[in-house]
């Protein structure tokens, strides 16, 4: 049964993440939606991630997945293998964010440094999904503003450069020749 908007009650900006998950669970009728929304909200709270960024990542993932499905069907290139790979992003992204949180935890509690690694990882994944969406839109001959395309590609290359620079500080480049 669908929930009426009046059944939700008054929601203020001061609601906690737990209350948000409860409200979202009440809005969506399927039990797996409730559990999924609650898990996402609790995970965000534990990792210190803003909900809007995580929901943007989820929305980008869904959009990218659906566009990829549409492109595969339209070009008659659909395969179950690629379909499964699309879904495999969910546990992989969860693992990446969990590892990022662990790195943040170690940096904060062992090294005494506050480093928002999960935030960076989530932003990077969302940006990567957005670029994938643009690529699929171009392949489907959908109009993509050149300014948006250029901005996302520039932002992505800038983030990749910053990540590489940060990694070079931790692990400087060495000669790749074998001894």
């Amino acid at each position: 049964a669908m929930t009426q908007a009046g059944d939700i009650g008054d929601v203020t900006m001061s609601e906690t993440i737990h209350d948000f998950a409860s409200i979202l669970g009440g809005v969506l009728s399927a039990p797996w939606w409730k559990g999924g929304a609650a898990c996402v909200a609790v995970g965000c709270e534990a990792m210190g991630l803003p909900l809007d960024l995580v929901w943007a990542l989820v929305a980008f993932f869904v959009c990218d997945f659906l566009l990829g499905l549409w492109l595969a069907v339209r070009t008659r290139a659909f395969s179950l293998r690629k379909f499964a790979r699309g879904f495999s992003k969910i546990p992989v992204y969860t693992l990446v964010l969990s590892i990022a949180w662990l790195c943040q935890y170690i940096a904060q509690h062992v090294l005494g440094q506050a480093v928002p690694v999960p935030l960076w990882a989530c932003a990077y994944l969302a940006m990567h999904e957005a670029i994938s969406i643009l690529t699929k839109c171009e392949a489907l001959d959908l109009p993509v503003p050149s300014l948006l395309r250029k901005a996302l590609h520039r932002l992505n290359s800038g983030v990749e450069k910053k990540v590489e620079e940060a990694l070079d500080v931790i692990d400087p480049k060495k000669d790749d020749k074998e001894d």
Side-chain angles (χ1 to χ4, degrees):
M2 293 290 290
T3 305
Q4 298 292 327
D7 294 340
I8 297 171
D10 293 331
V11 180
T12 63
M13 292 300 288
S14 64
E15 296 287 340
T16 64
I17 289 179
H18 177 72
D19 292 337
F20 175 77
S22 299
I23 292 165
L24 187 60
V27 171
L28 304 169
S29 61
W32 63 274
W33 276 104
K34 291 177 186 178
C39 288
V40 168
V42 168
C44 288
E45 183 179 27
M47 290 185 191
L49 291 173
L51 274 175
D52 52 354
L53 177 61
V54 174
W55 289 123
L57 175 60
V58 170
F60 288 163
F61 168 77
V62 169
C63 185
D64 183 50
F65 185 80
L66 293 175
L67 283 171
L69 187 60
W70 182 18
L71 181 62
V73 169
R74 185 172 171 203
T75 60
R76 300 180 197 273
F78 178 81
S79 75
L80 288 177
R81 183 173 177 254
K82 285 185 179 181
F83 186 80
R85 281 186 173 199
F87 268 115
S88 70
K89 284 184 183 179
I90 296 169
V92 169
Y93 283 8
T94 303
L95 180 63
V96 166
L97 291 173
S98 298
I99 291 170
W101 175 81
L102 184 61
C103 291
Q104 174 182 313
Y105 182 85
I106 290 169
Q108 200 166 18
H109 290 85
V110 175
L111 305 175
Q113 297 290 327
V115 183
V117 182
L119 180 66
W120 296 344
C122 190
Y124 178 79
L125 293 173
M127 186 174 37
H128 197 276
E129 288 293 316
I131 291 170
S132 181
I133 288 168
L134 290 177
T135 304
K136 287 180 175 115
C137 285
E138 289 173 339
L140 288 165
D141 297 326
L142 298 173
V144 176
S146 64
L147 179 65
L148 179 62
R149 184 177 55 247
K150 287 177 185 176
L152 278 173
H153 283 293
R154 180 172 287 160
L155 185 61
N156 187 43
S157 64
V159 167
E160 286 179 352
K161 181 180 176 184
K162 291 291 184 190
V163 168
E164 287 297 323
E165 288 173 0
L167 291 174
D168 286 343
V169 168
I170 296 168
D171 182 34
K173 292 181 181 178
K174 297 175 185 168
D175 190 13
D176 289 336
K177 295 180 185 177
E178 291 189 30
D179 295 333

